[in-house]
Amino acid sequence: MKVAKFGGSSLASGGQLQKVINIIKADPKRKIVVVSAPGKRTKDDTKVTDLLIKYCNTVINNEDPTGIQSKIIQRYRAIGEHFNLPEGELQPIITGIEQLATQVFPSRAYQMAAFKAAGENNNAKLVAAVFNHQGIPAQYMNPKDIGLMVTDVPNDAQILDFSYKQLAGLSEYTKTLVIPGFFGYNQAGEVCTFSRGGSDITGAIVAKAVAAEEYENFTDVDAIYAANPNIIPNPRKITHLTFQEMRELSYAGFSVFHDEALIPAIEGKVPVVVKNTNHPDLPGTLISETKPIDQKNIVSGIASDSGFTGIYLRKYLMNKQVGFTLKLLQILADFGVSYEHMPSGIDDLTIIIRSRELTPDLEAKIQSRIESEIHPDDFQITHNYAMVMIVGEGIQDRIGTMAAATASIAAANVSIVMLNHGASPVSITIGIRDSDADQAVKSLYDTFINHKPVHLMDGIL
């Protein structure tokens, strides 16, 4: 059995849904389909999820919602009409969208979660109806009915472990099952959504639960690329990644998957294949637990992400103080701030944080606590850092990788502010200024993907 997840671009219109129908018919093993809400049909279009967020805010502000309701309903109606779906089968979707405006919720957070989840939920109902009309015996499955239970966090939920046993029963159905992605239910029966990339998370959860032989993630790209196509024109397609490589690349800015999205598949050791709905016969990118290491192409991908802040402090004899780091991290924990990296020396330490974790007021409070409790000899907070990550199985054991990386950065006339090598066996993380990120990626791509020699001022590496 295979689990196939289709993203918003794959379901944006009737024409796109026809491609999905052809894909499902082409392989009888595709018995479980996880769907996103309809995405953009054109560059200037609006995703249904964004329309639902606007709808929710309209209701919260006690404004007339009929206009935004009509826009949302029309998106589903247009897809149904493409397949001549009877009005009677569209009516439950229309009614559900309209009734959102009068429902009562425990809080604004639950209200927003329910509105957003309506995009996937109604699309699953629509897709199941269209499948049946197109000769694919299908059944819509509500997450509550199949036991997809999550933590009580309205817009950032996590799967509850006992759900997997309940979801395992999905493998016993003979019809093609259509499941809405992005959300589950807490134990009080309220809708709670997953974080960004939530439909990918649902797909991975279901794939793990039914022990799928493969989890196919259909999107609008032919494969995962070795670098961001907005930085590198026509980058190399990656044919095979390990789970660990994909996790590192996702964390560092690759947009195909949120860095949390694959965890259930990783835990279940379910191979993932990223494929293009528009070109389904292409091989795509396989992501699995292990892969053969290509010694000639040791680096799989290069990614960068901006929006980091560095908290630097110097404390002489820091290395002699038992519990020093614990005290520092406890201060951050007290303010609800998590950290990303923490390179250190005998007297110096830098904590790298996502800038979105901080506000000017919070930053001042953290500084005050550190200065009063730790008494650093030097203290600085620096904004506008970017992290560039070089990822590949085996790079830790490849002699000269770090030398080539730093030389490549130097050749690009970029200053390094942080290095992290050895914490992960498959990646090197280089901290630089935001403004230098694209130039660094271009230089590293030439060095490790195009295998061009590095030209330094005093020669060639």
Side-chain angles (χ1 to χ4, degrees):
M1 175 187 290
K2 295 181 181 180
V3 173
K5 178 263 175 181
F6 292 91
S9 62
S10 301
L11 300 163
S13 66
Q16 286 298 100
L17 180 52
Q18 182 60 60
K19 296 175 184 178
V20 172
I21 291 167
N22 296 340
I23 289 168
I24 298 305
K25 287 182 175 180
D27 189 344
K29 290 184 178 181
R30 292 173 177 139
K31 299 299 293 182
I32 299 179
V33 178
V34 175
V35 301
S36 297
K40 291 185 176 183
R41 294 162 294 188
T42 64
K43 183 179 179 181
D44 298 325
D45 200 9
T46 304
K47 298 177 181 179
V48 165
T49 301
D50 291 334
L51 292 174
L52 285 160
I53 292 170
K54 184 177 179 180
Y55 178 20
C56 185
N57 288 326
T58 298
V59 173
I60 289 171
N61 294 327
N62 294 314
E63 298 170 355
D64 182 5
T66 54
I68 191 67
Q69 283 176 342
S70 296
K71 287 183 179 180
I72 296 167
I73 291 168
Q74 183 53 36
R75 288 297 306 272
Y76 293 104
R77 189 186 294 279
I79 295 171
E81 289 176 349
H82 182 92
F83 296 97
N84 297 315
L85 201 66
E87 182 68 18
E89 298 202 38
L90 284 169
Q91 194 56 50
I93 295 171
I94 295 169
T95 301
I97 292 168
E98 291 174 340
Q99 287 179 343
L100 279 171
T102 56
Q103 282 183 246
V104 178
F105 300 92
S107 70
R108 293 278 174 85
Y110 288 108
Q111 185 176 16
M112 181 60 76
F115 271 71
K116 290 191 296 183
E120 277 75 10
N121 197 36
N122 286 301
N123 209 30
K125 294 175 183 177
L126 178 62
V127 169
V130 171
F131 276 8
N132 281 307
H133 277 265
Q134 294 293 308
I136 302 172
Q139 184 173 344
Y140 156 77
M141 306 296 283
N142 185 278
K144 181 186 287 186
D145 298 334
I146 62 178
L148 205 167
M149 307 299 293
V150 299
T151 55
D152 188 20
V153 184
N155 293 283
D156 192 13
Q158 302 287 323
I159 185 75
L160 293 172
D161 284 341
F162 67 80
S163 294
Y164 286 108
K165 186 175 181 180
Q166 297 172 160
L167 293 168
L170 294 171
S171 61
E172 299 174 5
Y173 285 79
T174 56
K175 290 184 177 181
T176 299
L177 306 182
V178 183
I179 302 171
F182 188 39
F183 73 98
Y185 287 83
N186 67 13
Q187 290 179 291
E190 298 292 340
V191 168
C192 293
T193 63
F194 296 120
S195 61
R196 184 166 51 97
S199 291
D200 292 330
I201 296 173
T202 301
I205 287 169
V206 173
K208 174 186 174 182
V210 301
E213 65 180 80
E214 200 167 81
Y215 168 34
E216 296 179 308
N217 193 292
F218 285 89
T219 180
D220 56 1
V221 295
D222 290 340
I224 297 171
Y225 297 102
N228 186 340
N230 294 321
I231 301 173
I232 305 295
N234 302 312
R236 186 184 73 190
K237 295 175 184 176
I238 304 174
T239 58
H240 197 171
L241 287 168
T242 64
F243 288 132
Q244 191 169 4
E245 286 178 312
M246 188 68 243
R247 282 272 295 145
E248 298 276 358
L249 289 168
S250 297
Y251 165 80
F254 269 37
S255 60
V256 175
F257 285 112
H258 185 318
D259 62 331
E260 298 176 13
L262 284 181
I263 290 176
I266 294 170
E267 292 172 341
K269 298 182 180 180
V270 179
V272 179
V273 182
V274 178
K275 296 175 75 73
N276 191 341
T277 303
N278 303 309
H279 306 121
D281 294 331
L282 295 178
T285 300
L286 171 64
I287 311 169
S288 60
E289 189 173 19
T290 62
K291 73 170 191 180
I293 295 177
D294 181 355
Q295 294 296 336
K296 293 182 179 179
N297 296 284
I298 203 74
V299 172
S300 296
I302 298 162
S304 67
D305 199 9
S306 60
F308 292 89
T309 293
I311 297 178
Y312 165 81
L313 60 88
R314 182 190 306 122
K315 179 73 173 178
Y316 294 117
L317 300 178
M318 178 183 73
N319 63 317
K320 299 291 186 181
Q321 296 187 27
V322 176
F324 180 88
T325 304
L326 176 61
K327 292 178 184 177
L328 184 58
L329 294 181
Q330 186 60 56
I331 291 172
L332 294 179
D334 289 344
F335 288 106
V337 174
S338 60
Y339 77 97
E340 305 293 320
H341 304 277
M342 190 169 56
S344 64
I346 58 171
D347 297 322
D348 306 86
L349 183 148
T350 298
I351 297 181
I352 304 296
I353 297 169
R354 293 275 183 181
S355 299
R356 62 174 178 260
E357 296 259 353
L358 299 173
T359 63
D361 180 61
L362 184 58
E363 189 175 299
K365 290 178 180 178
I366 290 171
Q367 180 170 349
S368 178
R369 281 277 304 273
I370 290 173
E371 289 178 339
S372 64
E373 296 180 22
I374 295 179
H375 309 291
D377 296 302
D378 190 13
F379 182 93
Q380 300 172 31
I381 295 180
T382 305
H383 300 281
N384 302 318
Y385 281 158
M387 296 293 138
V388 177
M389 191 171 285
I390 306 162
V391 176
E393 289 285 347
I395 63 172
Q396 189 179 57
D397 300 322
R398 178 71 173 266
I399 295 172
T401 304
M402 177 62 83
T406 54
S408 181
I409 293 289
N413 198 30
V414 171
S415 176
I416 294 174
V417 297
M418 189 211 77
L419 273 173
N420 192 346
H421 180 39
S424 166
V426 303
S427 69
I428 298 171
T429 303
I430 303 173
I432 58 176
R433 300 291 181 186
D434 276 356
S435 56
D436 293 327
D438 288 0
Q439 189 59 37
V441 169
K442 290 175 183 176
S443 186
L444 291 167
Y445 187 90
D446 275 345
T447 300
F448 289 107
I449 307 298
N450 291 335
H451 303 292
K452 292 183 179 179
V454 178
H455 291 268
L456 300 174
M457 289 185 293
D458 55 353
I460 300 176
L461 181 67

